[in-house]
């Protein structure tokens, strides 16, 4: 048997075919554009997702005979996107994406609604789905009046695959319409956002069957047997499935464009006042919490652009031996911040610059500033009872061993590095497809990858990093006051 994992990303789709042991057979990617018609707007045509999926499947089918044995499919998708459908399942307008900030006023108004945080477990961020629909209601009433269904991006692909409107709990958790503790749509939350339960997709757990592959698609793909489509997952929940972060004490740090600290939780422990995200996991009776900083590797990429040196060229002179924090401090708020400040207005800053400041000093300050921002999330997680003494490090920034040593010492956590290979959201989606199709239990399938290296905190420098973190925390209100 083979299984297909689909990772529907913001800029492209990745499709991964695995065998019955979850080992990769083949993978391919397709890319598509993002539209920014106005400042702060971010939209996408869902037709591009379908074209990308069709092209990826055609390539895998042609290149890998094992595709003919396909038995299960899972879809992971970028969260929060509002795909609006009419009564005939036609797309009404381009999907408003997770990084669209036009609905900041609507988000603030919803967030001030009494009881809303208690039910949803989260602050209503502008990127969430509910404020997007409020914006459509107020600015595009003719479109709002036509809405028969609202689907998240992954659910839109589920509709294409199965013909049914269905989404999983982890993706639905980012809408501000889900009662997070009850794992069900909340009539009160829907009413606050002028929506109805009949406009929502059917809810399933991510590892449960959402339906079967449509007969006409199965025929077009050369398949003559039933194929189960799993509920799927939001992208970070799928990534957790891909690295086996499924239970209390397991988590990961992702150093991508944004920085994410994810902790699996055995129970429901909301803490919206910390600006942590508390979401349902992709498997039953499990949740996860996530701290988000908006500019992680993006901060290093910004320094790369203004210095004309590649990120690798910036970090290479630092070597491998960790040094105490320097006198230059960097606040990594180039695009605002989520955890713990929930501040869309704050912007980045350097402090402590002098005539002797070098490019290496700036680079170290950027790496340290991102690590301090991640410590904000780590401390918020600890305040909810999460204990993460070891975390797997993934993402492009994890290629810098110096950066990982900074983060390990700043967080006082041992970081582990996975063996080369597949371990991201596409693998997590394929694993959900395996469980839904009966090819194994969550415990059997959602295992951690082999670890090739461990990076422990430097005990000799821990106090120096603690002191520097204290100064970093003190800088935020001062910088905020003068911007």
């Amino acid at each position: 048997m083979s299984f297909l994992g689909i990772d529907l990303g913001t800029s492209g789709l990745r499709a991964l075919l695995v065998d019955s042991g979850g080992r990769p057979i083949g993978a391919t990617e397709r890319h598509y554009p993002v539209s920014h018609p106005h400042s702060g707007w971010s939209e996408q045509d869902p037709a591009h997702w379908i074209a990308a999926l069709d092209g990826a499947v055609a390539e895998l089918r042609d290149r890998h005979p094992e595709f003919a044995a396909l038995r299960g499919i899972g879809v992971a998708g970028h969260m929060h996107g509002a795909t609006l459908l009419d009564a005939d399942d036609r797309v009404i307008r381009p999907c408003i994406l997770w990084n669209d900030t036009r609905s900041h006023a609507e988000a603030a108004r919803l967030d001030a609604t009494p009881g809303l945080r208690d039910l949803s477990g989260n602050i209503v961020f502008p990127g969430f789905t509910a404020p997007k629909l409020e914006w459509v209601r107020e600015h595009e009433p003719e479109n709002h009046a036509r809405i028969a269904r609202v689907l998240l991006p992954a659910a839109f692909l589920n509709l294409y695959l199965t013909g049914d409107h269905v989404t999983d709990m982890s993706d639905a958790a980012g809408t501000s319409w889900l009662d997070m503790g009850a794992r069900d749509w909340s009539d009160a939350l829907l009413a606050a956002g002028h929506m109805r339960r009949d406009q929502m997709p059917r809810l399933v757990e991510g590892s449960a069957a959402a339906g079967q592959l449509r007969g006409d698609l199965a025929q077009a793909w050369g398949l003559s047997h039933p194929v189960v489509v799993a509920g799927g997952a939001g992208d970070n929940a799928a990534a957790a499935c891909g690295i086996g972060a499924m239970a209390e004490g397991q988590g990961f740090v992702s150093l991508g464009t944004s920085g994410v600290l994810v902790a699996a939780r055995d129970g429901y422990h909301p803490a919206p006042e910390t600006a942590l995200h508390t979401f349902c996991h992709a498997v039953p009776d499990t949740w996860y919490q996530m701290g988000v900083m908006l500019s992680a590797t993006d901060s290093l990429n910004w320094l790369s652009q203004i210095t004309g040196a590649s990120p690798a060229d910036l970090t290479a002179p630092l070597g491998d031996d960790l040094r105490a924090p320097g006198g230059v401090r960097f606040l990594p708020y180039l695009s605002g911040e989520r955890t713990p400040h929930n501040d869309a207005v704050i912007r980045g800053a350097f402090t402590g610059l002098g005539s002797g400041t070098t490019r290496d000093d700036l680079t170290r300050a950027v790496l340290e500033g991102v690590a301090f921002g991640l410590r904000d999330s780590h401390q918020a997680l600890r305040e909810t009872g999460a204990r993460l003494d070891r975390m797997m490090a993934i993402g492009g920034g994890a290629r810098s061993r110096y950066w990982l040593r900074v983060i390990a010492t700043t967080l006082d956590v041992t970081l582990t590095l996975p063996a080369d290979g597949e371990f991201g959201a596409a693998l997590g989606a394929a694993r959900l497809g395996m469980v839904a199709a009966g090819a194994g239990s969550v415990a059997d399938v959602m295992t951690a990858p082999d670890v090739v290296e461990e990076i422990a905190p430097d005990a000799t420098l821990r106090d120096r990093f603690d002191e520097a973190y204290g100064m970093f925390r003190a800088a935020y209100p001062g910088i905020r006051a003068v911007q």
Side-chain angles (χ1 to χ4, degrees), residues 307-356:
T307 59
S310 71
D313 289 339
L314 289 174
T315 57
L318 303 181
D320 292 329
D321 295 331
L322 184 63
R323 284 174 274 176
V328 179
R329 195 78 56 236
F330 176 70
L331 276 68
Y333 306 134
L334 301 180
S335 302
E337 193 60 300
R338 285 201 184 176
T339 311
H341 302 301
N342 185 29
D343 190 342
V345 178
I346 184 68
R347 289 297 180 264
F350 279 111
T351 66
L353 298 177
S355 58

Side-chain angles (χ1 to χ4, degrees), residues 253-266:
V253 55
S254 176
L255 282 174
T257 300
S258 59
V260 180
L261 216 63
V262 173
R265 305 304 306 270
D266 290 343

Side-chain angles (χ1 to χ4, degrees), residues 199-220:
Q199 293 173 309
M200 299 295 110
R202 178 170 58 89
L203 286 167
V204 298
E205 296 290 351
S207 55
Q212 287 194 348
L213 184 66
R214 287 170 24 215
D216 57 329
L217 271 185
Q219 183 176 10

Side-chain angles (χ1 to χ4, degrees), residues 259 261 291-295 330-333 337-341 366-380 410-411 469 472-473:
L261 216 63
V292 179
M293 60 181 304
L294 297 179
S295 298
F330 176 70
L331 276 68
Y333 306 134
E337 193 60 300
R338 285 201 184 176
T339 311
H341 302 301
V366 167
L367 302 187
E368 291 162 7
V370 171
F372 295 148
L374 291 170
R375 180 163 169 174
D376 281 342
S377 289
H378 187 249
Q379 292 202 168
T410 299
L411 272 57
Y469 174 67
F472 171 84
R473 289 285 292 174

Side-chain angles (χ1 to χ4, degrees), residues 240-302:
C241 293
I243 66 167
M246 310 303 296
E248 194 75 37
Q250 298 175 333
F252 64 90
V253 55
S254 176
L255 282 174
T257 300
S258 59
V260 180
L261 216 63
V262 173
R265 305 304 306 270
D266 290 343
Y268 178 49
H269 307 284
E273 69 282 357
T274 66
L276 285 174
H277 299 351
T278 303
F279 291 153
C280 299
H281 210 322
V283 299
D285 302 319
T286 307
W287 288 258
Y288 72 96
Q289 286 179 302
M290 177 172 64
V292 179
M293 60 181 304
L294 297 179
S295 298
T297 62
D298 210 29
S299 294
L300 189 61
N301 291 336
W302 166 80

Side-chain angles (χ1 to χ4, degrees), residues 53 101 216 353 389:
L53 175 59
T101 59
D216 57 329
L353 298 177
D389 299 321

